[in-house]
């Protein structure tokens, strides 16, 4: 899974598992960091990617919560 | 002889065999029946002179005329008269309608007792009335005012109920009643599937007028009819035999019509109540289900929010982990760099200069590593930590 492909996946809002995929990728990055598997040259890119994933997940959660609120107040 | 012996009027009990009117005079044939009803044991002619007739009619009212009918048991006060040419004659002076009434009551009771013995009194009453009464066989006299009252009352019902009336004409008073009523009842029985009930009605009448309805054959026929019989023959004191055997006995034809209307109204009310119960029941169920769904929605919302919250914590944790973890490779790289630098520093001439060593270069800037490369009068550069100085070589040794 190349970063470009994953980036696309996250961007695609119709994909139901995009959040899970993003989370999975985040966990992988954390694991790689813990195992000291990331060369310094790639570190910046990886962290940038991780920051975007976190942002994406948070946004996803925020909109989900908003949806829930809206759905239940409507009924 | 008899006339002489009976100079005073006497009361006699007998039955009117025949009754004929001529020029206002009423000629009667009085009979006395034996044990067997067909047998006549005594017979005599009697007359009510027109003057006496008018007097009695004024005294007794319409009852008088009703008593004065063929087949009636009567108690008469008569004066015995003998005429040489016309023979013996009884002249009626007074009449006791109470006697006739009593006789009729007795007769009615006998019929009722017999019907009771034969267990026929409650048979028709035990028939179940159809839920809705609509197709009605009506036995009445077309002339009877009661029939019109009945029809109008039914038509004018406030609920708009429709009734299908089938008219079966029959005499409703007099001698023809038994025969005609029986015939119509038989005809209705043959067509029983067409009707919900039978109605027998006529306008008002006095007790004596109703005598025809105190009839065993009629009573039995009505009792055994497979349709419920409703009777309104217009009287308000006594019940006739027919009233006793019928499913329902009402005072007037109008009352019968009201009964038919109320019966159907009851059905409608019952339906309305059921509809109301269904409505209330479904409303309750709806409300219950609504509550259930609402509670479900609440727990769903809470669960969903909890899930989101949990995920948020997870993402936050990862975020924190990342922040910390990302330091590790940087720190590690930095550490290696530091080590490298100190290793490198060991070989740095500047460092040696600081410690008091100096290095010497020739005019071309090459490091002088051996005295052999130096001759007398050569110029060299001396490198200190804080600068350089020129120096001249003084000797060769």
């Amino acid at each position: 899974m190349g970063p470009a492909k994953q980036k696309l996946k996250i961007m695609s809002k119709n994909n139901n598992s995009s959040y899970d995929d993003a989370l999975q990728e985040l966990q992988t990055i954390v694991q790689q960091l813990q195992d000291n598997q990331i060369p310094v040259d790639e570190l910046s890119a990886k962290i940038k990617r991780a920051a975007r994933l976190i942002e994406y997940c948070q946004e996803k959660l925020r909109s989900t919560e908003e949806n829930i609120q809206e759905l239940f107040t409507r009924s | 002889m008899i006339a002489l012996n009976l100079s005073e009027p006497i009361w006699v009990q007998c039955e009117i065999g025949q009754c004929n009117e001529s020029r206002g005079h009423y000629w009667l044939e009085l009979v006395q029946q034996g044990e067997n009803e067909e047998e006549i044991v005594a017979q005599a002619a009697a007359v009510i002179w027109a003057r006496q007739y008018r007097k009695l009619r004024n005294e007794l009212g319409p009852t008088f005329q009703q008593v004065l009918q063929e087949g009636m048991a009567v108690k008469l006060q008569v004066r015995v008269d003998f005429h040489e040419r016309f023979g013996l004659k009884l002249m009626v002076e007074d009449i006791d309608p109470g006697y006739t009434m009593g006789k009729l009551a007795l007769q009615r009771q006998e019929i009722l007792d017999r019907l009771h013995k034969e267990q026929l009194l409650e048979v028709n009453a035990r028939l179940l009335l159809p839920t809705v009464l609509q197709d009605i066989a009506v036995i009445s006299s077309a002339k009877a005012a009661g029939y019109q009252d009945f029809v109008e009352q039914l038509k004018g019902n406030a609920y708009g109920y429709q009734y299908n009336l089938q008219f079966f004409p029959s005499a409703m008073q007099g001698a023809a009643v038994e025969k005609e009523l029986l015939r119509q009842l038989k005809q209705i029985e043959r067509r029983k599937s067409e009707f919900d009930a039978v109605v027998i009605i006529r306008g008002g009448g006095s007790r004596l007028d109703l005598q025809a309805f105190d009839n065993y054959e009629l009573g039995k026929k009505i009792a055994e009819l497979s349709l419920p019989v409703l009777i309104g023959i217009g009287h308000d004191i006594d019940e006739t035999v027919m009233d006793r055997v019928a499913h329902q006995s009402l005072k007037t034809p109008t009352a019968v019509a009201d009964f038919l209307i109320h019966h159907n109204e009851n059905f409608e009310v019952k339906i309305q109540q059921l509809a109301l119960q269904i409505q209330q029941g479904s409303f309750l169920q709806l409300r219950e289900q609504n509550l259930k769904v609402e509670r479900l929605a609440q727990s769903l919302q809470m669960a969903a929010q909890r899930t989101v919250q949990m995920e948020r914590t997870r993402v936050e944790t990862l975020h924190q982990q990342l922040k910390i973890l990302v330091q590790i490779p940087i720190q590690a790289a930095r550490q290696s760099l530091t080590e490298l630098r100190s290793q490198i520093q060991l070989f740095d001439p500047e460092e040696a200069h600081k410690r008091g060593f100096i290095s010497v270069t020739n005019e071309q800037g090459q490091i002088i590593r051996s005295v052999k490369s130096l001759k007398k009068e050569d110029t060299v550069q001396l490198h200190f930590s804080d600068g350089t100085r020129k120096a001249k070589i003084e000797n060769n040794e």
Side-chain angles (χ1 to χ4, degrees):
Chain A
M1 277 195 274
K5 199 177 165 191
Q6 277 185 356
K7 199 179 203 168
L8 238 175
K9 211 170 191 174
I10 294 159
M11 290 309 193
S12 139
K13 302 229 161 163
N14 291 332
N15 192 331
N16 283 335
S17 62
S18 61
Y19 173 83
D20 276 345
D21 289 341
L23 203 68
Q24 185 67 49
E25 197 186 335
L26 262 175
Q27 279 165 335
T28 309
I29 293 173
V30 167
Q31 192 59 49
Q32 285 174 334
L33 281 168
Q34 277 170 339
D35 299 345
N36 203 11
Q37 282 175 355
I38 299 174
V40 174
D41 279 342
E42 288 176 24
L43 200 57
S44 184
K46 273 280 189 218
I47 294 306
K48 207 178 275 175
R49 169 88 185 146
R52 289 198 59 167
L53 287 170
I54 286 170
E55 204 180 305
Y56 171 79
C57 286
Q58 283 171 337
E59 170 59 24
K60 187 93 179 172
L61 289 171
R62 195 187 57 76
S63 67
T64 303
E65 201 170 46
E66 258 177 30
N67 276 343
I68 291 168
Q69 205 74 36
E70 197 189 311
L71 282 171
F72 284 98
T73 47
R74 199 188 300 158
S75 67
Chain B
M1 283 274 287
I2 298 168
L4 289 174
N5 285 345
L6 302 167
S7 56
E8 291 301 309
I10 53 158
W11 287 97
V12 294
Q13 293 163 14
C14 56
E15 192 174 300
I16 299 175
Q18 272 181 40
C19 175
N20 297 302
E21 186 259 340
S22 172
R23 286 178 296 168
H25 312 304
Y26 281 76
W27 303 88
L28 310 174
E29 198 61 48
L30 303 179
V31 295
Q32 191 181 348
Q33 286 177 335
E35 294 290 307
N36 181 342
E37 281 189 14
E38 299 303 308
E39 186 193 3
I40 292 171
V41 294
Q43 189 165 359
V47 65
I48 311 171
W49 299 117
R51 201 169 57 89
Q52 195 66 21
Y53 179 85
R54 284 194 297 275
K55 179 174 163 271
L56 287 171
R57 196 183 56 193
N58 288 341
E59 280 173 15
L60 301 171
T63 313
F64 175 50
Q65 275 160 304
Q66 282 147 13
V67 170
L68 210 61
Q69 279 180 30
E70 292 172 10
M72 286 290 182
V74 287
K75 184 177 178 184
L76 305 169
Q77 191 183 37
V78 296
R79 186 183 291 279
V80 183
D81 179 56
F82 184 75
H83 193 278
E84 278 90 351
R85 185 172 159 211
F86 300 113
L88 188 73
K89 191 178 304 303
L90 305 175
M91 289 181 298
V92 178
E93 302 221 319
D94 202 357
I95 188 164
D96 178 5
Y99 173 80
T100 304
M101 305 282 268
K103 272 286 182 191
L104 287 175
L106 208 65
Q107 192 185 332
R108 188 176 81 238
Q109 195 51 52
E110 279 167 11
I111 296 171
L112 286 175
D113 287 348
R114 185 173 167 193
L115 290 168
H116 175 68
K117 217 175 285 170
E118 294 169 11
Q119 297 188 320
L120 288 170
L121 284 183
E122 312 294 333
V123 175
N124 196 269
R126 274 199 293 266
L127 292 177
L128 274 181
L129 279 179
T131 316
V132 171
L133 294 171
Q134 197 162 35
D135 297 309
I136 314 292
V138 185
I139 302 178
S140 186
S141 155
K143 289 174 285 180
Y147 177 65
Q148 293 309 320
D149 293 346
F150 173 76
V151 171
E152 272 160 37
Q153 186 75 7
L154 264 192
K155 275 189 184 161
N157 77 79
Y159 311 99
Y161 299 148
Q162 298 291 316
Y163 292 89
N164 307 319
L165 305 179
Q166 178 90 37
F167 183 59
F168 293 86
S170 163
M172 291 308 281
Q173 61 184 49
V177 169
E178 178 180 351
K179 205 183 92 195
E180 291 185 18
L181 242 174
L182 276 175
R183 201 190 58 199
Q184 297 294 41
L185 285 170
K186 279 177 193 159
Q187 202 186 333
I188 290 168
E189 180 67 30
R190 274 197 297 274
R191 295 168 56 187
K192 61 187 175 189
S193 62
E194 296 174 38
F195 305 112
D196 299 322
V198 179
V199 163
I200 301 174
I201 45 171
R202 55 158 237 178
S206 74
R207 178 66 260 212
L208 283 164
D209 231 11
L210 298 164
Q211 192 214 347
F213 302 121
D214 286 327
N215 179 293
Y216 171 76
E217 292 303 326
L218 276 175
K220 182 174 157 69
K221 186 73 200 164
I222 287 172
E224 291 174 344
L225 210 69
S226 50
L227 291 167
V229 178
L230 315 178
I231 287 191
I233 47 182
H235 56 89
D236 40 28
I237 309 162
D238 295 316
E239 278 187 324
T240 67
V241 168
M242 257 168 57
D243 286 307
R244 287 294 309 276
V245 295
H247 189 284
Q248 204 77 37
S249 160
L250 297 141
K251 285 194 194 320
T252 61
T254 310
V256 175
D258 285 340
F259 178 87
L260 293 176
I261 295 164
H262 286 141
H263 181 81
N264 290 358
E265 187 200 352
N266 282 342
F267 173 65
E268 194 179 357
V269 166
K270 222 177 274 173
I271 287 178
Q272 282 168 344
Q273 282 168 345
L274 280 175
L276 198 70
Q277 281 171 5
I278 290 171
Q279 197 189 340
Q280 285 170 343
S282 41
F283 177 74
L284 275 177
Q285 263 195 358
L286 266 178
R287 208 172 55 179
E288 212 171 284
Q289 293 302 323
N290 254 328
L291 273 173
K292 251 186 215 171
V293 169
E294 238 169 71
R295 277 196 293 266
L296 269 176
Q298 271 175 10
S299 20
L300 202 68
Q301 187 178 9
M302 275 161 66
Q305 279 170 342
R306 207 165 43 232
T307 307
V308 169
Q309 204 47 53
M310 267 163 59
E311 287 301 317
R312 184 164 283 151
T313 312
R314 221 161 122 190
V315 172
E316 193 50 45
T317 310
L318 281 172
H319 195 184
Q320 293 305 325
Q321 263 180 309
L322 268 172
K323 272 193 206 163
I324 295 160
L325 286 172
V326 78
Q327 301 299 323
I328 294 171
I330 294 172
Q331 284 299 334
R334 203 166 270 154
Q335 184 71 34
S336 330
L337 274 178
T338 313
E339 278 166 22
L340 278 171
R341 193 168 53 215
S342 51
Q343 280 167 21
I344 289 161
Q345 277 173 351
L346 286 178
F347 302 97
D348 191 349
E350 291 294 330
E351 292 299 314
H353 296 161
K354 279 178 192 161
R355 290 201 298 274
F357 296 97
I358 59 167
S359 47
V360 182
T361 59
N362 58 17
E363 283 176 315
Q364 286 76 43
Q366 290 162 326
I367 292 267
I368 310 294
R369 298 177 191 275
S370 165
V371 286
K372 286 172 186 151
S373 59
L374 289 175
K375 300 179 306 279
K376 197 176 176 182
E377 295 307 321
D378 277 353
T379 308
V380 293
Q381 292 275 350
L382 304 180
H383 296 269
F384 299 87
S385 66
D386 52 350
T388 56
R389 285 284 186 273
K390 265 184 186 168
K392 201 174 256 180
I393 302 298
E394 289 182 349
N395 53 4
N396 273 334
E397 295 297 323

